[in-house]
Amino acid sequence: MAGFREECGVVGVVGDKEAANLIYLSLYALQHRGQEAAGIVTLNKEGSFSGHKAFGLVGDGFNKDILDKLEGKVGIGHNRYSTAGGKMVQNIQPFSFNTAIGSLAIAHNGNLTNASQLRKDLEKSGSIFQSTSDTEIFMHLLARSNEESILERIIEVMKVVKGAYSLLLLTKDRLFALRDPFGFRPLVLGRRGEAVVVVSETCALDLIDAEFEREIAPGEVVEIHNDGSVKSYFPVESSRKAFCSFEPIYFARPDSQIFNEEIYELRKKMGAILARESHVDADVVIAVPDSGVPMALGYGNQTGLPMELGLVRNHYVGRTFIEPSQSIRDFGVKLKLNPVMSCLKDKRVIVVDDSLVRGTTSVKILRMIRQAGAREIHMRLGSPPITHSCYFGVDTPERSQLLAAQRDVEEMRDFIGADSLGFLSIEGLKEALGAANSHNYCYGCFNGDYPEDTGREIEPQPTDDRGPGLRSGI
Amino acid sequence: MAGFREECGVVGVVGDKEAANLIYLSLYALQHRGQEAAGIVTLNKEGSFSGHKAFGLVGDGFNKDILDKLEGKVGIGHNRYSTAGGKMVQNIQPFSFNTAIGSLAIAHNGNLTNASQLRKDLEKSGSIFQSTSDTEIFMHLLARSNEESILERIIEVMKVVKGAYSLLLLTKDRLFALRDPFGFRPLVLGRRGEAVVVVSETCALDLIDAEFEREIAPGEVVEIHNDGSVKSYFPVESSRKAFCSFEPIYFARPDSQIFNEEIYELRKKMGAILARESHVDADVVIAVPDSGVPMALGYGNQTGLPMELGLVRNHYVGRTFIEPSQSIRDFGVKLKLNPVMSCLKDKRVIVVDDSLVRGTTSVKILRMIRQAGAREIHMRLGSPPITHSCYFGVDTPERSQLLAAQRDVEEMRDFIGADSLGFLSIEGLKEALGAANSHNYCYGCFNGDYPEDTGREIEPQPTDDRGPGLRSGI
Amino acid sequence: MAGFREECGVVGVVGDKEAANLIYLSLYALQHRGQEAAGIVTLNKEGSFSGHKAFGLVGDGFNKDILDKLEGKVGIGHNRYSTAGGKMVQNIQPFSFNTAIGSLAIAHNGNLTNASQLRKDLEKSGSIFQSTSDTEIFMHLLARSNEESILERIIEVMKVVKGAYSLLLLTKDRLFALRDPFGFRPLVLGRRGEAVVVVSETCALDLIDAEFEREIAPGEVVEIHNDGSVKSYFPVESSRKAFCSFEPIYFARPDSQIFNEEIYELRKKMGAILARESHVDADVVIAVPDSGVPMALGYGNQTGLPMELGLVRNHYVGRTFIEPSQSIRDFGVKLKLNPVMSCLKDKRVIVVDDSLVRGTTSVKILRMIRQAGAREIHMRLGSPPITHSCYFGVDTPERSQLLAAQRDVEEMRDFIGADSLGFLSIEGLKEALGAANSHNYCYGCFNGDYPEDTGREIEPQPTDDRGPGLRSGI
Amino acid sequence: MAGFREECGVVGVVGDKEAANLIYLSLYALQHRGQEAAGIVTLNKEGSFSGHKAFGLVGDGFNKDILDKLEGKVGIGHNRYSTAGGKMVQNIQPFSFNTAIGSLAIAHNGNLTNASQLRKDLEKSGSIFQSTSDTEIFMHLLARSNEESILERIIEVMKVVKGAYSLLLLTKDRLFALRDPFGFRPLVLGRRGEAVVVVSETCALDLIDAEFEREIAPGEVVEIHNDGSVKSYFPVESSRKAFCSFEPIYFARPDSQIFNEEIYELRKKMGAILARESHVDADVVIAVPDSGVPMALGYGNQTGLPMELGLVRNHYVGRTFIEPSQSIRDFGVKLKLNPVMSCLKDKRVIVVDDSLVRGTTSVKILRMIRQAGAREIHMRLGSPPITHSCYFGVDTPERSQLLAAQRDVEEMRDFIGADSLGFLSIEGLKEALGAANSHNYCYGCFNGDYPEDTGREIEPQPTDDRGPGLRSGI
Ligand SMILES: Nc1ncnc2c1ncn2[C@@H]1O[C@H](COP(=O)(O)OP(=O)(O)O)[C@@H](O)[C@H]1O
Ligand SMILES: Nc1ncnc2c1ncn2[C@@H]1O[C@H](COP(=O)(O)OP(=O)(O)O)[C@@H](O)[C@H]1O
Ligand SMILES: Nc1ncnc2c1ncn2[C@@H]1O[C@H](COP(=O)(O)OP(=O)(O)O)[C@@H](O)[C@H]1O
Ligand SMILES: Nc1ncnc2c1ncn2[C@@H]1O[C@H](COP(=O)(O)OP(=O)(O)O)[C@@H](O)[C@H]1O
Ligand code: SF4
Ligand code: SF4
Ligand code: SF4
Ligand code: SF4
Ligand SMILES: [Mg+2]
Ligand SMILES: [Mg+2]
Ligand SMILES: [Mg+2]
Ligand SMILES: [Mg+2]
């Protein structure tokens, strides 16, 4: 379900003479983590950086000529998410900058929770900010540090910043890969022959024929030398882990392994448990493609109901289209999805999607299914109701726009026009994640219980106390 | 499976003041029928034409400013397929031209079988051809005709040309929709309020909120006046019908209805019959997405085997990507598809796709599945072996490149690296199409039995006599 | 003076393995003859054509990649003039087309006077026109001819068409260069090593290091074989010559030799005779740059008055600029020219330009000079008053917009705001062109005496009889 | 003569509701001061900045849509010069940045001589530089200052920086215009109704119909409030003035008034004195257009020799053109200039240009003139030999590439292939600038006598002691 947006994908390559090509392909594989812009910086033989940044998809903004100019065996790349707000070229990462101890380039996935205070302090003492991004705070802190070595500077900075960061830092002779102590965002390490590769998700390793080696641990700093040797440091203590549970639910690609899990299998489990928790009698199960497909398969298997291709996802979505002035009903959704009448007509339909954020899209999808002749529509979501915002690297709507923060399940059911509505419970979600691991996850947006002070005062809201969980609306 | 390429989608709108917008959206819905280029021509109030043509997807080549300039309540549009050969702007349709009886614009889906002879004759008598397209032959014949009225000229031309055409012809006060006597390519009529809409597939009607009215019949000429009134003529006799059986197998969108059938249901039937004809014991069924999905669902239902998302289709396919010089194995396929290891590892896998043309892509897909750990791979195709070329509007490889024209099933199995290989038989295909209708279809590319002389001498080839059918390679 | 616009420049190269590069550079040298669009077609080894066409200047529309694809040792190119009307890609030359005797490409500078009748006849018999250009008439006539050889076809066509054409025709093994019997437009032949080059003006030969050999004669057909051998034919009789006198006055570059004359010297002579005919006492002579410079130099030499740079021509003209809504006075002219106050302040100024068409620009220039402080302004034109339109390849305003067709000299003086106004007389112009040659020129736009029936009825206008000549308005 | 390159043009407008349009037009008028890139920043009603920057000419990088988005009545603009080195978007000015006392935008023409030391210090204390430009040093110093008001900060900074700056600083409610104490680069103040305009040269005032009011003085800070009121401060003492003498020689447009002089008149005087100092008997004087024209006119007047248009400057220069692989002789120069044979053949020609930097272009021009048939070629330069680099805002070649730093006049004459060579002497130059003013100019590049320590050690070179002056090579 659209509404929650991942904020980035990152890639680093050390020791391959086609570093730029590999980064570019990895960014393509991680395109789902950010579509607004992409950038690559490589380290040339002479020790200087080459870079290119472009708005739009990586396949549109880069070409052979550009990649050929990005020489060097070491480099980093970044995909940026798409926001409604103004596009500024200064916000495209990687950022590169000079410090007294040399040139650095940085690519960051995450969000700092103490960013605004840090920024205010830095500006007061004369630092000039070029972008509106949290990432620049890392840069200024690194530049202002009085430590001698870059590693010591990194450690100093990690002690000051709070929040989520899976971050790559390129220097003249090394690549550093950092992950915050909670480990909100994924970051994995792979090998491709002699070369070392660091990426957000394993699907990028697959595309470039690299082998998955291991996750970078929460709180870990990995130092990768140009010769391929790797050192590991744990400079900050990590009281608990807090993997983002929305990564397995929605963000990550189903063919990725992150947080040491197979995403596809987790999603099927969520679908199966969802069925167990909330099944009603029906004729057919359909998914809202593509994100709903694995959960719908799990749901179908669990119930024995046939899964059908009730909604076809257009292959050419992703572009904006002009709507006629005599408005077409549910235009935005129709551009993406079209119902297959024979699966729906006169049927009792279970519609499975991953999550419900604003609910506006679901309204349209359900209306479309209803118009195609469905007799009953039972909406099932493979995740709990979203009642709170995220402060750890996810672009979330205002709380006032989160459907579940404003309404109870019955009201939501009514709003989206379903005959019944069911969510996976938090317990169900934890069951899917596994007893051994579920305490290592963050569920902040489902229950307001953030692993760390978010630096923002959370205003009490009447709907707050309702909390998450399944409230079938039948 | 890539290899056979549809040659076009067409759209006509009469009587809507946002004709250009509706044509544009319809072309977007028909984008799968042609991605090389798109064009729109509208009829202005003053009786002149406005037009715009652009290479690439319709969403890239058109924008609000352009559409606003395409004034008028009547117009036609065209999507062109992508060929390897040189792109020429002259080949983008609709074509417009002047004749002694006024200006005309034309959009054509199909291929003439006597094109080269007609072209030669016309050139000899001084006609100048601008494009390499068959469509221009219509133009010259219409321009040279001595008949008074445009309808008579159309009829004269229909008596001369042979082959496949679903064609729209725009004049200063009417739109004509023509379909060849065999009805190779689809063409359907819809209504949107007062307006009349003609499109290749019903999925385009869905997007613009138009209602499906009926198929335009083989051999029919439909004359649509600017006031919305519709007349129908049958100027040429139709000895038999010959709907392209590849439309339900692959070309059409699964959510379309053409040839008075629901495509999705036909595909599920093909998958179910395929299972009946060729099933082997296995652990899991997967599709080659997206075209293989409906058949795999049918296959799974028939056998009771769970269908899994064994291959994930990247959402950003469609662009060319630069391959590193140290070649990545199966690069082209990897850009599009990635295996989900947990579905495949140590499993006996049935892989369902719609058809097998050259086999080169299947080789790579199967190798990828094998590398992901599959224990056995059983490839199943929802259509018979393709042994012959098509001369009716489909871009087919040379016969020497058609795998089934060169090898028997065992050799094919070996070539693609499967443990077993099974095709739907022609009888099975006919069964899926239905006893009442199956004789109305063309099966030329499966058995060389073309409904009409193709004008091309068909060279005998050693593999010819093998014919279609299931030849399990186990 | 803007207002009369040359309609094209043409280039042909035979026998140089970098034909496309040389054509491209020649088009750059001939850019003043057409800025709307440029095109190049070359003949590949395999006997097929490659081509590229682009709107805008040749330096913007072509690049190395494009030129590299235009293989072959033989080719033609064309610069198109800029018109107010709609830009259509179909109108960009060279045109290429197929006939029963092979493929042809054509590039044409000029205008046919019997075009509309020929076009009507051709359309009636079924020819389809793609462009609005006269040039297409050549194509259809060549395609429809029943002659066996291309040379005979050319001769047949030359007997039918009337008007102005300096034309290049490329076949699979030869280049033909044709010039109409009057020789309105220039066409010269050069050599570059083994290669033969045909261009509109010699300045193009200079740029590519080719040597000028000779003019192609009025009525001549030059046949250039791929081996560099040249044959000459004179298939149509030429009763008289009619070189466009506006070429030496304005169109041609001052560094060119055409019509066997040095343009710069002719212009200086026009300026000197103008001074003899119309001088008044003054302090300084200035040119309207750049076209007025050579005449102003001639004028200054003749009178002994110092010539000054009273108006500076901006180096970046040629782009459209946005005018603020609180309109800037004489904005359009200011973008191009700026006065140098110290040359003008309190001075009696003689302003020399080549010609006066609509007069609207002169109004602004003179107002600017007046504002800079000039005490007296004496406008002098190096050509006679323009009282008639041109039908031979020049884009002329409606007669109603030709200042001299509507007003006498005193009225014109008043209109443009000069203290006196003087034109070169027709006799003076003939004197500059030389007694031996002046009868070989066309003066149609100055006196309505066209060398050939223009096919258009010339409406009598009250100002017609006034005729050209100096009418000092002091 | 190419070789010395101006580094920028600046514009500021306060109090006009079409500020962006006026800045854009002014940048067009100042395009000769920088062609690599242009930028505009305006101050919106809400007190925030809008901006746009683009590579290339201002007419290419800006359009109506862009300008319409640059709302506000106050703004600044900047043209950047073209360097061989890498283009970086970060280097396009105006720069904008946040400080503790608000947002600022800056546009700078000039060069600091203590830039590298200031930069090193700032980097050491943690400032992050985004560009390689000196201008950023201003930004960081302004941001780090502890003064309360922006004016006090500016004054603090002016006491620290050394070198050349004509600089505009935009704040939320005021525009500051600064000029360094030496006044190296021009900066003038104009009025347009209520609005105040600051530009590098008066030619920009002419285009937008603004009236010249006065020069901004060396060492002056002008504070312009949004209501149009203007205050002036002189915070730093100015021991001497040092107007760049190369501005009147070459950089400024001939129609500009800067340093309280008419550039055109100065150039004519330089030409006349040059003639007095170095004339030889000859038949004709020609200029190297366009920069050489005023001096050639002065030279011609002084000697009574006729000036001719011996070289024609192509109107479409400025683009790069592809050279054929069989190299064309003097290709680069031929793209720009073409000789007029009739002025040169068998003549003794005096060729006047403004200056001689590397000499490489002159070699080609003279060879071209020689090939056109000149009997003798006497090269005359309207400025002294350039023996030293500039450190005050001019992009100069390495000293090793300055012809006059390496060779004496006879060697130079031989190198460029002239029959004689003459330069204006420094005394002659001072005479042209006027006894009363000549001590207010910088002649550093002619004699190494810089008005200020350049911060760079000037290596002794054998040719140093030769000094400037006329050394006729006859
Ligand atoms: N082929 C696929 N099949 C299933 N899920 C996919 C596939 N590709 C991407 N995804 C997942 O689906 C998400 C995108 O969901 P989708 O439903 O297509 O769009 P939306 O963002 O509008 O929900 C991705 O973030 C990824 O997790
Ligand atoms: N969402 C969808 N689900 C299933 N089939 C689809 C879908 N969209 C398009 N199709 C069908 O799949 C064909 C495209 O097949 P696909 O497998 O995606 O690519 P390929 O052409 O490489 O086989 C289309 O022609 C259409 O028939
Ligand atoms: N450098 C030059 N000096 C003098 N005349 C030139 C030059 N370049 C081109 N010309 C001539 O000037 C004409 C262009 O004239 P110009 O005054 O620059 O513009 P306009 O077309 O507005 O009069 C060209 O057609 C050509 O004949
Ligand atoms: N129309 C003009 N006439 C004379 N000088 C000019 C004109 N326009 C610009 N200039 C001056 O000429 C310089 C550009 O010189 P030019 O000879 O055209 O090119 P180059 O930079 O190659 O010498 C400008 O910096 C300006 O001082
Ligand atoms: S609040 Fe929600 S989206 Fe944010 S990190 Fe926690 S689980 Fe993920
Ligand atoms: S030959 Fe095959 S592809 Fe062609 S029309 Fe017949 S069934 Fe369709
Ligand atoms: S009418 Fe004038 S412009 Fe036309 S050809 Fe004759 S002289 Fe030239
Ligand atoms: S050194 Fe030369 S170019 Fe630099 S400021 Fe002084 S005079 Fe001008
Ligand atoms: Mg989704
Ligand atoms: Mg497929
Ligand atoms: Mg002119
Ligand atoms: Mg110059």
Side-chain angles (χ1 to χ4, degrees), chain A residues 362-412:
Chain A
S362 300
V363 169
K364 296 173 185 171
I365 292 172
L366 266 53
R367 186 157 47 207
M368 224 161 66
I369 293 171
R370 187 85 64 188
Q371 265 184 317
R375 190 142 55 88
E376 291 175 14
I377 303 177
H378 304 283
M379 182 82 183
R380 291 297 177 270
L381 285 313
S383 62
I386 298 169
T387 53
H388 293 77
S389 295
C390 173
Y391 302 103
F392 310 102
V394 171
D395 184 42
T396 27
E398 298 282 293
R399 280 200 79 205
S400 62
Q401 308 222 346
L402 290 175
L403 198 65
Q406 303 302 329
R407 310 190 187 215
D408 68 19
V409 173
E410 170 54 23
E411 288 163 358
M412 287 193 259

Side-chain angles (χ1 to χ4, degrees), chain D residues 21-37:
Chain D
N21 275 348
L22 297 178
I23 294 167
Y24 156 82
L25 290 172
S26 300
L27 290 177
Y28 165 70
L30 297 173
Q31 191 75 80
H32 61 293
R33 295 184 77 85
Q35 293 101 44
E36 190 194 47

Side-chain angles (χ1 to χ4, degrees), chain D residues 293-358:
Chain D
V293 169
M295 290 167 181
L297 283 168
Y299 195 109
N301 283 354
Q302 174 72 22
T303 57
L305 276 185
M307 178 175 141
E308 300 275 357
L309 187 70
L311 293 167
V312 168
R313 189 178 186 278
N314 191 302
H315 282 168
Y316 304 94
V317 292
R319 293 150 215 284
T320 4
F321 274 80
I322 294 118
E323 187 173 1
S325 58
Q326 346 115 265
S327 224
I328 288 176
R329 218 216 279 228
D330 302 332
F331 182 68
V333 164
K334 272 201 183 126
L335 281 175
K336 191 168 176 180
L337 301 174
N338 198 31
V340 175
M341 197 171 303
S342 58
C343 307
L344 304 170
K345 195 164 165 99
D346 299 327
K347 299 271 172 64
R348 292 169 306 162
V349 184
I350 291 175
V351 182
V352 180
D353 204 352
D354 55 89
S355 56
L356 192 68
V357 181
R358 287 194 187 82

Side-chain angles (χ1 to χ4, degrees), chain C residues 252-295:
Chain C
R253 260 177 49 177
D255 48 329
S256 281
Q257 298 160 55
I258 57 164
F259 306 151
N260 290 317
E261 300 283 350
E262 294 257 4
I263 297 307
Y264 176 66
E265 295 300 324
L266 288 183
R267 286 187 191 165
K268 275 207 306 181
K269 265 188 229 161
M270 293 168 193
I273 298 169
L274 172 65
R276 235 183 43 212
E277 289 186 343
S278 74
H279 187 50
V280 289
D281 202 23
D283 301 314
V284 66
V285 177
I286 70 167
V288 180
D290 277 336
S291 53
V293 169
M295 289 166 181

Side-chain angles (χ1 to χ4, degrees), chain D residues 4 184-185 243-246 251 389-392 394 442-446 450:
Chain D
F4 262 43
F184 286 104
R185 302 287 142 225
F243 305 140
C244 171
S245 60
F246 230 85
F251 295 139
S389 296
C390 173
Y391 303 102
F392 309 103
V394 171
C442 171
Y443 307 96
C445 51
F446 302 121
Y450 300 109

Side-chain angles (χ1 to χ4, degrees), chain B residues 128-174:
Chain B
I128 295 177
F129 279 78
Q130 293 299 324
S131 72
T132 56
S133 122
D134 285 12
T135 309
E136 218 184 326
I137 290 166
F138 277 98
M139 289 167 52
H140 285 289
L141 291 173
L142 287 167
R144 283 177 172 264
S145 166
N146 294 317
E147 296 294 337
E148 278 296 295
S149 80
I150 177 68
L151 180 62
E152 287 164 307
R153 288 187 179 211
I154 288 169
I155 293 169
E156 185 183 296
V157 173
M158 283 177 81
K159 288 180 175 150
V160 175
V161 298
K162 289 185 178 176
Y165 50 89
S166 282
L167 184 148
L168 300 177
L169 186 72
L170 184 64
T171 75
K172 300 244 160 179
D173 52 8
R174 266 165 292 179

